[in-house]
Amino acid sequence: MNCINFIVPMNPCPCGYYPDIGRCRCTESAIRKYQSRLSGPILDRIDVFAEVSALTMEELSFDRDKPGEGQESSAAIRSRVLRAREMQKERGEGRFNALLTPEETDRFCETDKEGKRLLKKVFGKLGLSARSYYRILRVARTIADLDGSEKIEKAHLAEAVSCRAPAELKTAEAR
């Protein structure tokens, strides 16, 4: 079975410049209306949300062969990804984390008490669906694999939760 990538590029507002308040000319209600075009059930099926901000000229013109301070080289990242893929294939009977069933997710994505407390808090605060819950666990398992960790730690779960839709998190904070 193949893993299907579903990539949804979307501007943050009608003019495309939010959150740059110097360039964005949209009202708050226009931004909210624009962002609500993707329904909850669609958002629920996306594993990772990433905001990408505009780059400066300096950021675009760096030497790609020499990683900056605190950054990994592409070769090191590739090595970690290949190692994580092997861990997933061995554990999941040849399948990747994204394709685990809920039962397999329960078996392969166990967390400690701290992690369970974090999940319970996030689940209640964000009003997550069962689908989102399992997606967070599978993403956390992948983050742990990339970290070379056999167990999912609280930090892995926190990172997986932070990959959820920023809109979900902002809505939850407003509650």
Side-chain angles (χ1 to χ4, degrees), residues 15-165:
C15 77
Y17 292 115
Y18 179 79
D20 184 347
I21 58 172
R23 295 171 68 188
C24 181
R25 59 183 187 275
C26 303
T27 65
E28 192 175 321
S29 64
I31 293 169
R32 231 183 347 266
K33 180 180 177 187
Y34 184 80
Q35 290 181 352
S36 71
R37 295 185 313 161
L38 286 179
S39 69
I42 295 290
L43 292 173
D44 209 27
R45 287 169 169 80
I46 300 173
D47 289 336
V48 177
F49 293 81
E51 278 187 37
V52 181
S53 57
L55 297 174
T56 65
M57 182 61 192
E58 292 77 25
E59 291 168 323
L60 287 171
S61 60
F62 73 96
D63 186 349
R64 293 182 197 324
D65 294 328
K66 296 180 186 171
E69 188 177 321
Q71 294 180 336
E72 288 182 278
S73 68
S74 292
I77 293 169
R78 182 178 193 278
S79 175
R80 279 194 313 124
V81 168
L82 291 175
R83 195 169 44 249
R85 287 173 57 101
E86 284 306 310
M87 288 173 72
Q88 291 176 32
K89 285 171 64 177
E90 287 173 19
R91 181 179 46 246
E93 292 123 27
R95 295 182 22 225
F96 297 114
N97 294 341
L99 299 174
L100 297 176
T101 65
E103 294 79 20
E104 291 169 327
T105 302
D106 287 337
R107 189 169 74 218
F108 300 130
C109 300
E110 273 193 66
T111 185
D112 59 12
K113 288 181 184 177
E114 277 189 55
K116 286 180 180 159
R117 274 197 298 275
L118 173 66
L119 279 173
K120 186 175 181 177
K121 181 179 178 182
V122 167
F123 193 83
K125 190 171 186 178
L126 298 180
L128 296 176
S129 67
R131 181 181 291 120
S132 289
Y133 170 80
Y134 283 110
R135 286 185 181 282
I136 287 171
L137 281 174
R138 288 191 299 263
V139 169
R141 176 70 267 164
T142 300
I143 293 167
D145 291 343
L146 288 168
D147 203 22
S149 176
E150 286 295 320
K151 299 212 181 248
I152 297 174
E153 298 171 7
K154 184 179 176 186
H156 301 135
L157 282 166
E159 188 173 343
V161 168
S162 74
C163 292
R164 291 302 302 165

Side-chain angles (χ1 to χ4, degrees), residues 2-15:
N2 291 328
C3 185
I4 298 172
N5 291 323
F6 179 55
I7 300 172
V8 182
M10 181 177 164
N11 284 330
C13 68
C15 77

